[in-house]
Amino acid sequence: MELERHEYDVVVVGAGGAGLRAAIAASENGARTAVVCKSLLGKAHTVMAEGGIAAAMGNTWPEDNWRVHFRDTMRGGKMLNHWRMAQLHAQEAPDRVLELEDWGALFDRTPDGLISQRDFGGHRYARLAHVGDRTGLELLRTLQQRTVALGIDVYMECTVTRLLRDDETVTGAFGYWRESGRFVVWQAPSVVLATGGIGKAYKVTSNSWEYTGDGHSLALQAGASLVNMEFVQFHPTGMVWPPSVRGLLVTESVRGDGGILRNSAGNRFMFDYIPDYFRKETAESEEEADRWYTDKTNNRRPPELLPRDEVARAINSEVKAGRGTEHGGVWLDIASRRPAEYIRKRLPSMYHQFKELADVDITREAMEIGPTCHYVMGGVEVDPDTQESRLPGLFAAGEVAGGMHGSNRLGGNSLSDLLVFGRRAGLAAAEHAAKLAGARVEVAEAALADAAAAALAPFDRDGGENPYAVQQDLQSTMHDLVGIIRTRAEMAQALERIAVLKGRVANLSVEGHRQYNPGWHLALDLPHLLLVSECIARAALEREESRGGHTRDDFPAADDAWAHLNLVLDLPADADAVRVTRQPLPQMPGDLAELLES
Ligand code: FAD
């Protein structure tokens, strides 16, 4: 078999914010480091991030500090977050932002010349460091520049299809060049997964083609475990019209900067959906809500800035009750609330997005929006300090890792998560490799032959299933049966359909040859997508309550018995289905628990 071979100390799979930050940390700590990514360097999903990076720097509100950020994050996640991750994240995010600035990132400024911070849902104070509404682009540009300056090897347009392991630890990764179809193996004692999310499991999503759950699935198949998979975030504001752009994100900054939601009757309906849990900190009247933008000390936050799960459910209910727009959304209006010049300056991408894709001028008209699958809270179960998974030598950071966001992520907390835990994963991966220095990592030839045969199997079948048709059926299954509002009967039906889809995925066939063949690429992504869909459906069926990004029509309230339990998934050897286990949450120390009570 023709095979390109490389040896490194640390191999990072994924070149988004988490992957690049991990690679930088590993390389700076002496590890021979490589980054592998499906697309071109600089094109990862992180580039699409708009609103900002959450970090309690206190630039706009001196009252802000890591303790308030920790509390907001835990409350936003309805207490299922791993407390230690939420603590480290809140404590270290400001340093990570300042470090980015040192490396050349140009943030928007306050009148005093400090890094400007904007409001987002669930954050008590304006806390998001930003660059207009193109923050992800600047973050990635900066990390990319540093990666190149450090001389880190980057394998672009290269897909990892399997992780390699021996009896005890990870030993590397196997993949192929998308352009030529040729196989590659990277032997390494440490592998960091930073592959992002799973959005392409759903029909309507803000996510790009790269989000096929590869890292979640690779980890599970290699013997690691996943946690929190029932929690999928539906962002309240995606475009709904025209159909070609359905799901495309409309940043939360629109609401952070003053935008409000109205139904087809013109009512500002969010006041009807304030849950008791957030009532004390939410404005009671439109007047109070409007005053909050300039006086946060004496007023409470507008209900449009409740955490995303609350707002998405409210929009869903309005549309279901017949108060939606013609195309099944509601109105998001900033035009009547802020001057045109302000909107164009603060939200330049949104202005162009609507103008070019929907012929809507957001400085004059309201935007038609609705929920879109946006983020997966669930991911690889990791040690909170090192990001190491259950499989020694295998680390995970960024959206592919679980635990940090509990049942619901606050906006802005992902970019900070990438930086904080990307760095920690890179450091720990370098240390792990250093401990094994000198011991050559061996990879069994049979495992490589097996990985190659599995990758080529779709070419060997004639008249099998078309990957595009299978993907469409899977996306409809997840959208219709495991979406925002879930029921036992529908999820059981979803699992039946997933079982049928498994048979179809085992019978995929593709035509043509290995050189840049998109049908083949999809055929290799589909088993991952199917496995993560099964994980979501199984965990969602098991959790009989509603919490964060998991709403059960048949169990509409949060249940105290579930408040202390996580669901962990693994794939026992020779099992044909994932196993779901209930696991008690780790015990939070008293001083942190007190912060939540205050
Ligand atoms: P990504 O940036 O997605 O990188 C994944 C990498 O893995 C890519 O390089 C990909 O090619 C690679 N990869 C995947 N599978 C494989 C494979 N099998 N082999 C090789 N490589 C692979 N969060 C915020 O905090 N603030 C915001 O303002 C914000 N705005 C957002 C706006 C939009 C439109 C979207 C969609 C998300 C937004 N988010 C925001 C969320 C945030 O952008 C993501 O959660 C975050 O960027 C994920 O980063 P990551 O490094 O984990 O993964």
Side-chain angles (χ1 to χ4, degrees), residues 16 97 129 139 161 190 199 235 262 282 324 331 392 408 500 524 546 569 595:
V97 173
L139 182 149
T161 60
S190 295
H235 194 292
R262 292 192 196 280
T282 308
W331 299 112
N408 175 54
V500 174
L524 296 183
S546 293
L569 298 114
L595 293 177

Side-chain angles (χ1 to χ4, degrees), residues 14-15 18 38 45-46 49-52 160 210-211 214 375 399 412 414-415:
K38 271 189 185 181
H45 204 80
T46 299
E50 296 164 355
V160 168
E210 289 177 84
Y211 267 21
D214 300 12
Y375 185 89
E399 192 166 339
S414 170
L415 293 187

Side-chain angles (χ1 to χ4, degrees), residues 461-531:
R461 295 188 199 107
D462 281 331
E465 293 281 344
N466 176 328
Y468 294 96
V470 174
Q471 186 186 30
Q472 242 180 24
D473 290 350
L474 176 62
Q475 288 172 333
S476 298
T477 299
M478 293 304 284
H479 181 89
D480 297 342
L481 304 174
V482 200
I484 300 189
I485 311 289
R486 302 162 173 177
T487 66
R488 164 172 288 282
E490 286 183 350
M491 286 185 291
Q493 202 187 338
L495 284 165
E496 279 168 23
R497 287 202 202 164
I498 285 170
V500 174
L501 285 165
K502 267 189 198 173
R504 292 176 65 189
V505 163
N507 188 32
L508 288 173
S509 67
V510 292
E511 289 177 3
H513 38 69
R514 284 158 71 176
Q515 278 88 23
Y516 211 94
N517 183 336
W520 182 41
H521 300 167
L522 181 58
L524 296 183
D525 290 344
L526 269 173
H528 300 313
L529 214 44
L530 192 62
L531 187 57

Side-chain angles (χ1 to χ4, degrees), residues 13-19 36-39 44-46 48-53 120 128 158-161 194-197 206-207 210-211 214-215 218 249 374-375 397-400 409 411-416 418:
V13 187
V36 186
C37 53
K38 271 189 185 181
S39 51
H45 204 80
T46 299
M48 293 162 73
E50 296 164 355
I53 312 172
F120 247 51
L128 269 72
C158 219
T159 300
V160 168
T161 60
T195 49
S206 64
N207 292 181
E210 289 177 84
Y211 267 21
D214 300 12
L218 291 168
L249 193 76
H374 183 59
Y375 185 89
E399 192 166 339
V400 70
R409 173 178 73 90
N413 269 2
S414 170
L415 293 187
S416 37
L418 310 181

